[in-house]
Amino acid sequence: QVQLVESGGGLVQAGGSLRLSCAASGTSLRANAMAWYRQAPGKPRDLVALISGRGNTRYADSVKGRFIISRDNAKNTVYLQMNSLQPEDTAVYYCAASDYSEIYAFKHWGQGTQVTVSS
């Protein structure tokens, strides 16, 4: 069973930065495509960024150029570096894992970590 635990959320002012971490267990992380999603109040979960087992990345247009997803397979951890944060980035951020390295079928989820950006 894949388990994911997010950390690093918090309250920041607009223009600030945060780095989220997602620690995985129950899998060799290189075998999994990984993603970050976010859910704002009253909104569905939206994809923020993903990274394949080979290191290929994709970003939502709203965060491209500001956020960076990366992975450290030796530490079994995925990161989301968030820069130039804006109030519209306020959401619960979730880490997700696919059972495949290059197929983006995310079915394992962390508990979420709150990111709040004040204006």
Side-chain angles (χ1 to χ4, degrees), residues 94-117:
Y94 296 90
C95 181
S98 171
D99 285 337
Y100 308 95
S101 65
E102 308 299 321
I103 300 175
Y104 305 134
F106 300 104
K107 70 174 185 179
H108 307 287
W109 298 86
Q111 83 287 351
T113 185
Q114 176 71 47
V115 173
T116 302
V117 185

Side-chain angles (χ1 to χ4, degrees), residues 62-82:
S62 59
V63 307
K64 187 176 181 180
R66 298 189 297 122
F67 291 9
I68 302 171
I69 187 170
S70 62
R71 62 195 302 155
D72 186 338
N73 292 326
K75 297 179 67 175
N76 237 28
T77 301
V78 175
Y79 304 95
L80 184 68
Q81 178 66 46
M82 305 185 294

